[in-house]
Amino acid sequence: MTANEKSTIAIMILAAGASTRMGTPKQLLLYQGRSFLQYITEIAIASVCQPVVVVLGANAEQIHPQIKQLPIKVVKNSDWASGMSTSIKSGLELLNNLPQKIEAVVITLCDQPFVSPQIINQLVDTYYSTKKPIIACEYGDTLGVPALFSQTFFSELATLKETSGAKRVINHNLNEVFSIPFPLGGIDIDTPKDYEQLLSISEGIFEVS
């Protein structure tokens, strides 16, 4: 299947949080020579998904310049403090107003450093091969994001309660879910200690390679 045939699958990066546990906007932390948000946005651009939508909220004015030169669509969620569900809703509103019909969306976070174009593309390939409407990543004992949702779940995603995230839709519809293994998906960066550990792991990887 060509990339063009898959072009109705969008990807949404949720990057609206205030990073209270980090103490500084984690979207701007340096990783692989660029900001976290620029890094994950470039990963998304390198995947088969189009369009790439980034949802900003807290510190948007400070963060937006990091990605404004990239071929993406940015939406600002003014209600970001009410929780992740409001960012999902903001991103879906943008997608629903596009001229092309969006068949499905991959939802991912800006603080999962081991997400790759290969993982994103595997979600898309698995969606086409299994015909399942939700494809989730499996790590630890959980199913979570990055996850692909067909448009049949857009209304459920858009009406999530304020503090809920996409995982709630996954758990509510387990019989509709197919999962792919992504052990490193459980690593996200919430605290300064998480960030220090990530940098030491990354340095170790590059010393060996």
PDB file of all heavy atoms in Angstrom, residues 23-46:
ATOM      1  N   GLY A  23       9.017  21.001  36.427  1.00  0.00           N
ATOM      2  CA  GLY A  23       9.414  22.329  36.896  1.00  0.00           C
ATOM      3  C   GLY A  23       9.821  23.274  35.783  1.00  0.00           C
ATOM      4  O   GLY A  23      10.119  24.443  36.016  1.00  0.00           O
ATOM      5  N   THR A  24       9.845  22.766  34.553  1.00  0.00           N
ATOM      6  CA  THR A  24      10.164  23.569  33.380  1.00  0.00           C
ATOM      7  C   THR A  24       9.454  22.903  32.206  1.00  0.00           C
ATOM      8  O   THR A  24       9.195  21.700  32.263  1.00  0.00           O
ATOM      9  CB  THR A  24      11.701  23.612  33.140  1.00  0.00           C
ATOM     10  OG1 THR A  24      11.996  24.526  32.098  1.00  0.00           O
ATOM     11  CG2 THR A  24      12.273  22.257  32.796  1.00  0.00           C
ATOM     12  N   PRO A  25       9.094  23.618  31.150  1.00  0.00           N
ATOM     13  CA  PRO A  25       8.360  22.971  30.053  1.00  0.00           C
ATOM     14  C   PRO A  25       9.166  21.827  29.433  1.00  0.00           C
ATOM     15  O   PRO A  25      10.211  22.050  28.818  1.00  0.00           O
ATOM     16  CB  PRO A  25       8.150  24.106  29.046  1.00  0.00           C
ATOM     17  CG  PRO A  25       8.224  25.358  29.848  1.00  0.00           C
ATOM     18  CD  PRO A  25       9.236  25.067  30.927  1.00  0.00           C
ATOM     19  N   LYS A  26       8.684  20.593  29.614  1.00  0.00           N
ATOM     20  CA  LYS A  26       9.467  19.466  29.096  1.00  0.00           C
ATOM     21  C   LYS A  26       9.475  19.446  27.572  1.00  0.00           C
ATOM     22  O   LYS A  26      10.362  18.853  26.963  1.00  0.00           O
ATOM     23  CB  LYS A  26       8.978  18.136  29.660  1.00  0.00           C
ATOM     24  CG  LYS A  26       7.546  17.765  29.402  1.00  0.00           C
ATOM     25  CD  LYS A  26       7.207  16.474  30.156  1.00  0.00           C
ATOM     26  CE  LYS A  26       5.722  16.182  30.173  1.00  0.00           C
ATOM     27  NZ  LYS A  26       5.399  15.020  31.024  1.00  0.00           N
ATOM     28  N   GLN A  27       8.496  20.129  26.968  1.00  0.00           N
ATOM     29  CA  GLN A  27       8.488  20.207  25.506  1.00  0.00           C
ATOM     30  C   GLN A  27       9.773  20.843  24.979  1.00  0.00           C
ATOM     31  O   GLN A  27      10.157  20.622  23.836  1.00  0.00           O
ATOM     32  CB  GLN A  27       7.289  21.036  25.021  1.00  0.00           C
ATOM     33  CG  GLN A  27       5.928  20.458  25.391  1.00  0.00           C
ATOM     34  CD  GLN A  27       5.390  21.028  26.695  1.00  0.00           C
ATOM     35  OE1 GLN A  27       6.149  21.350  27.608  1.00  0.00           O
ATOM     36  NE2 GLN A  27       4.068  21.152  26.794  1.00  0.00           N
ATOM     37  N   LEU A  28      10.430  21.662  25.824  1.00  0.00           N
ATOM     38  CA  LEU A  28      11.622  22.400  25.394  1.00  0.00           C
ATOM     39  C   LEU A  28      12.930  21.750  25.828  1.00  0.00           C
ATOM     40  O   LEU A  28      14.006  22.220  25.459  1.00  0.00           O
ATOM     41  CB  LEU A  28      11.568  23.834  25.946  1.00  0.00           C
ATOM     42  CG  LEU A  28      10.405  24.691  25.435  1.00  0.00           C
ATOM     43  CD1 LEU A  28      10.410  26.050  26.119  1.00  0.00           C
ATOM     44  CD2 LEU A  28      10.468  24.856  23.920  1.00  0.00           C
ATOM     45  N   LEU A  29      12.860  20.669  26.611  1.00  0.00           N
ATOM     46  CA  LEU A  29      14.088  19.992  27.029  1.00  0.00           C
ATOM     47  C   LEU A  29      14.837  19.483  25.808  1.00  0.00           C
ATOM     48  O   LEU A  29      14.234  19.042  24.834  1.00  0.00           O
ATOM     49  CB  LEU A  29      13.756  18.811  27.945  1.00  0.00           C
ATOM     50  CG  LEU A  29      13.170  19.147  29.319  1.00  0.00           C
ATOM     51  CD1 LEU A  29      12.753  17.864  30.023  1.00  0.00           C
ATOM     52  CD2 LEU A  29      14.163  19.925  30.166  1.00  0.00           C
ATOM     53  N   LEU A  30      16.153  19.511  25.872  1.00  0.00           N
ATOM     54  CA  LEU A  30      16.943  19.062  24.723  1.00  0.00           C
ATOM     55  C   LEU A  30      17.060  17.546  24.708  1.00  0.00           C
ATOM     56  O   LEU A  30      17.301  16.908  25.733  1.00  0.00           O
ATOM     57  CB  LEU A  30      18.342  19.681  24.771  1.00  0.00           C
ATOM     58  CG  LEU A  30      18.442  21.138  24.306  1.00  0.00           C
ATOM     59  CD1 LEU A  30      19.883  21.603  24.369  1.00  0.00           C
ATOM     60  CD2 LEU A  30      17.891  21.326  22.893  1.00  0.00           C
ATOM     61  N   TYR A  31      16.879  16.983  23.510  1.00  0.00           N
ATOM     62  CA  TYR A  31      17.038  15.544  23.316  1.00  0.00           C
ATOM     63  C   TYR A  31      17.465  15.321  21.872  1.00  0.00           C
ATOM     64  O   TYR A  31      16.843  15.840  20.953  1.00  0.00           O
ATOM     65  CB  TYR A  31      15.716  14.823  23.608  1.00  0.00           C
ATOM     66  CG  TYR A  31      15.785  13.325  23.463  1.00  0.00           C
ATOM     67  CD1 TYR A  31      16.664  12.571  24.248  1.00  0.00           C
ATOM     68  CD2 TYR A  31      14.999  12.651  22.549  1.00  0.00           C
ATOM     69  CE1 TYR A  31      16.743  11.204  24.115  1.00  0.00           C
ATOM     70  CE2 TYR A  31      15.064  11.272  22.411  1.00  0.00           C
ATOM     71  CZ  TYR A  31      15.941  10.552  23.198  1.00  0.00           C
ATOM     72  OH  TYR A  31      16.023   9.182  23.073  1.00  0.00           O
ATOM     73  N   GLN A  32      18.545  14.572  21.678  1.00  0.00           N
ATOM     74  CA  GLN A  32      19.081  14.304  20.335  1.00  0.00           C
ATOM     75  C   GLN A  32      19.329  15.604  19.562  1.00  0.00           C
ATOM     76  O   GLN A  32      19.057  15.686  18.352  1.00  0.00           O
ATOM     77  CB  GLN A  32      18.109  13.410  19.541  1.00  0.00           C
ATOM     78  CG  GLN A  32      17.685  12.152  20.252  1.00  0.00           C
ATOM     79  CD  GLN A  32      18.801  11.110  20.335  1.00  0.00           C
ATOM     80  OE1 GLN A  32      19.936  11.384  19.994  1.00  0.00           O
ATOM     81  NE2 GLN A  32      18.488   9.926  20.796  1.00  0.00           N
ATOM     82  N   GLY A  33      19.792  16.624  20.279  1.00  0.00           N
ATOM     83  CA  GLY A  33      20.192  17.861  19.619  1.00  0.00           C
ATOM     84  C   GLY A  33      19.076  18.826  19.263  1.00  0.00           C
ATOM     85  O   GLY A  33      19.300  19.808  18.576  1.00  0.00           O
ATOM     86  N   ARG A  34      17.865  18.526  19.735  1.00  0.00           N
ATOM     87  CA  ARG A  34      16.727  19.433  19.474  1.00  0.00           C
ATOM     88  C   ARG A  34      15.775  19.348  20.656  1.00  0.00           C
ATOM     89  O   ARG A  34      15.980  18.557  21.556  1.00  0.00           O
ATOM     90  CB  ARG A  34      16.032  19.057  18.165  1.00  0.00           C
ATOM     91  CG  ARG A  34      15.666  17.580  18.092  1.00  0.00           C
ATOM     92  CD  ARG A  34      15.056  17.210  16.772  1.00  0.00           C
ATOM     93  NE  ARG A  34      15.984  17.066  15.666  1.00  0.00           N
ATOM     94  CZ  ARG A  34      16.878  16.089  15.517  1.00  0.00           C
ATOM     95  NH1 ARG A  34      17.014  15.173  16.460  1.00  0.00           N
ATOM     96  NH2 ARG A  34      17.632  16.018  14.468  1.00  0.00           N
ATOM     97  N   SER A  35      14.761  20.196  20.658  1.00  0.00           N
ATOM     98  CA  SER A  35      13.803  20.133  21.762  1.00  0.00           C
ATOM     99  C   SER A  35      12.987  18.853  21.658  1.00  0.00           C
ATOM    100  O   SER A  35      12.832  18.269  20.577  1.00  0.00           O
ATOM    101  CB  SER A  35      12.870  21.351  21.732  1.00  0.00           C
ATOM    102  OG  SER A  35      11.963  21.253  20.651  1.00  0.00           O
ATOM    103  N   PHE A  36      12.488  18.415  22.802  1.00  0.00           N
ATOM    104  CA  PHE A  36      11.660  17.213  22.840  1.00  0.00           C
ATOM    105  C   PHE A  36      10.533  17.272  21.815  1.00  0.00           C
ATOM    106  O   PHE A  36      10.284  16.324  21.080  1.00  0.00           O
ATOM    107  CB  PHE A  36      11.013  17.083  24.229  1.00  0.00           C
ATOM    108  CG  PHE A  36      11.434  15.852  24.949  1.00  0.00           C
ATOM    109  CD1 PHE A  36      11.841  15.922  26.265  1.00  0.00           C
ATOM    110  CD2 PHE A  36      11.413  14.607  24.326  1.00  0.00           C
ATOM    111  CE1 PHE A  36      12.240  14.785  26.935  1.00  0.00           C
ATOM    112  CE2 PHE A  36      11.795  13.474  24.986  1.00  0.00           C
ATOM    113  CZ  PHE A  36      12.218  13.548  26.300  1.00  0.00           C
ATOM    114  N   LEU A  37       9.858  18.421  21.787  1.00  0.00           N
ATOM    115  CA  LEU A  37       8.701  18.533  20.902  1.00  0.00           C
ATOM    116  C   LEU A  37       9.124  18.510  19.438  1.00  0.00           C
ATOM    117  O   LEU A  37       8.474  17.864  18.607  1.00  0.00           O
ATOM    118  CB  LEU A  37       7.900  19.798  21.210  1.00  0.00           C
ATOM    119  CG  LEU A  37       6.623  19.951  20.382  1.00  0.00           C
ATOM    120  CD1 LEU A  37       5.716  18.739  20.521  1.00  0.00           C
ATOM    121  CD2 LEU A  37       5.872  21.216  20.767  1.00  0.00           C
ATOM    122  N   GLN A  38      10.220  19.202  19.120  1.00  0.00           N
ATOM    123  CA  GLN A  38      10.692  19.166  17.734  1.00  0.00           C
ATOM    124  C   GLN A  38      11.085  17.741  17.360  1.00  0.00           C
ATOM    125  O   GLN A  38      10.798  17.271  16.242  1.00  0.00           O
ATOM    126  CB  GLN A  38      11.882  20.108  17.532  1.00  0.00           C
ATOM    127  CG  GLN A  38      12.333  20.175  16.075  1.00  0.00           C
ATOM    128  CD  GLN A  38      13.471  21.150  15.843  1.00  0.00           C
ATOM    129  OE1 GLN A  38      13.746  22.001  16.670  1.00  0.00           O
ATOM    130  NE2 GLN A  38      14.136  21.018  14.717  1.00  0.00           N
ATOM    131  N   TYR A  39      11.715  17.028  18.282  1.00  0.00           N
ATOM    132  CA  TYR A  39      12.145  15.649  18.024  1.00  0.00           C
ATOM    133  C   TYR A  39      10.951  14.759  17.691  1.00  0.00           C
ATOM    134  O   TYR A  39      10.919  14.094  16.657  1.00  0.00           O
ATOM    135  CB  TYR A  39      12.895  15.111  19.246  1.00  0.00           C
ATOM    136  CG  TYR A  39      13.297  13.662  19.106  1.00  0.00           C
ATOM    137  CD1 TYR A  39      14.396  13.296  18.334  1.00  0.00           C
ATOM    138  CD2 TYR A  39      12.567  12.650  19.737  1.00  0.00           C
ATOM    139  CE1 TYR A  39      14.758  11.964  18.189  1.00  0.00           C
ATOM    140  CE2 TYR A  39      12.926  11.316  19.595  1.00  0.00           C
ATOM    141  CZ  TYR A  39      14.025  10.980  18.830  1.00  0.00           C
ATOM    142  OH  TYR A  39      14.383   9.665  18.678  1.00  0.00           O
ATOM    143  N   ILE A  40       9.928  14.754  18.547  1.00  0.00           N
ATOM    144  CA  ILE A  40       8.783  13.869  18.327  1.00  0.00           C
ATOM    145  C   ILE A  40       7.974  14.318  17.109  1.00  0.00           C
ATOM    146  O   ILE A  40       7.402  13.496  16.384  1.00  0.00           O
ATOM    147  CB  ILE A  40       7.909  13.756  19.592  1.00  0.00           C
ATOM    148  CG1 ILE A  40       6.949  12.551  19.485  1.00  0.00           C
ATOM    149  CG2 ILE A  40       7.128  15.016  19.858  1.00  0.00           C
ATOM    150  CD1 ILE A  40       7.629  11.217  19.503  1.00  0.00           C
ATOM    151  N   THR A  41       7.954  15.636  16.849  1.00  0.00           N
ATOM    152  CA  THR A  41       7.238  16.122  15.661  1.00  0.00           C
ATOM    153  C   THR A  41       7.935  15.657  14.391  1.00  0.00           C
ATOM    154  O   THR A  41       7.277  15.245  13.422  1.00  0.00           O
ATOM    155  CB  THR A  41       7.125  17.662  15.694  1.00  0.00           C
ATOM    156  OG1 THR A  41       6.489  18.055  16.918  1.00  0.00           O
ATOM    157  CG2 THR A  41       6.298  18.174  14.535  1.00  0.00           C
ATOM    158  N   GLU A  42       9.262  15.673  14.389  1.00  0.00           N
ATOM    159  CA  GLU A  42      10.000  15.191  13.220  1.00  0.00           C
ATOM    160  C   GLU A  42       9.813  13.684  13.030  1.00  0.00           C
ATOM    161  O   GLU A  42       9.747  13.192  11.898  1.00  0.00           O
ATOM    162  CB  GLU A  42      11.480  15.556  13.337  1.00  0.00           C
ATOM    163  CG  GLU A  42      11.715  17.053  13.150  1.00  0.00           C
ATOM    164  CD  GLU A  42      13.152  17.475  13.373  1.00  0.00           C
ATOM    165  OE1 GLU A  42      13.985  16.616  13.749  1.00  0.00           O
ATOM    166  OE2 GLU A  42      13.451  18.667  13.172  1.00  0.00           O
ATOM    167  N   ILE A  43       9.696  12.958  14.134  1.00  0.00           N
ATOM    168  CA  ILE A  43       9.397  11.520  14.066  1.00  0.00           C
ATOM    169  C   ILE A  43       8.045  11.318  13.374  1.00  0.00           C
ATOM    170  O   ILE A  43       7.890  10.473  12.488  1.00  0.00           O
ATOM    171  CB  ILE A  43       9.360  10.904  15.486  1.00  0.00           C
ATOM    172  CG1 ILE A  43      10.749  10.911  16.129  1.00  0.00           C
ATOM    173  CG2 ILE A  43       8.745   9.505  15.481  1.00  0.00           C
ATOM    174  CD1 ILE A  43      11.724   9.919  15.587  1.00  0.00           C
ATOM    175  N   ALA A  44       7.058  12.107  13.784  1.00  0.00           N
ATOM    176  CA  ALA A  44       5.713  11.991  13.203  1.00  0.00           C
ATOM    177  C   ALA A  44       5.724  12.328  11.718  1.00  0.00           C
ATOM    178  O   ALA A  44       5.086  11.644  10.908  1.00  0.00           O
ATOM    179  CB  ALA A  44       4.745  12.903  13.954  1.00  0.00           C
ATOM    180  N   ILE A  45       6.460  13.380  11.352  1.00  0.00           N
ATOM    181  CA  ILE A  45       6.545  13.791   9.943  1.00  0.00           C
ATOM    182  C   ILE A  45       7.180  12.686   9.099  1.00  0.00           C
ATOM    183  O   ILE A  45       6.798  12.468   7.946  1.00  0.00           O
ATOM    184  CB  ILE A  45       7.344  15.104   9.820  1.00  0.00           C
ATOM    185  CG1 ILE A  45       6.561  16.272  10.448  1.00  0.00           C
ATOM    186  CG2 ILE A  45       7.698  15.416   8.365  1.00  0.00           C
ATOM    187  CD1 ILE A  45       7.388  17.519  10.670  1.00  0.00           C
ATOM    188  N   ALA A  46       8.123  11.947   9.699  1.00  0.00           N
ATOM    189  CA  ALA A  46       8.820  10.872   8.969  1.00  0.00           C
ATOM    190  C   ALA A  46       7.954   9.622   8.808  1.00  0.00           C
ATOM    191  O   ALA A  46       8.328   8.709   8.058  1.00  0.00           O
ATOM    192  CB  ALA A  46      10.116  10.521   9.695  1.00  0.00           C
TER     193      ALA A  46
END
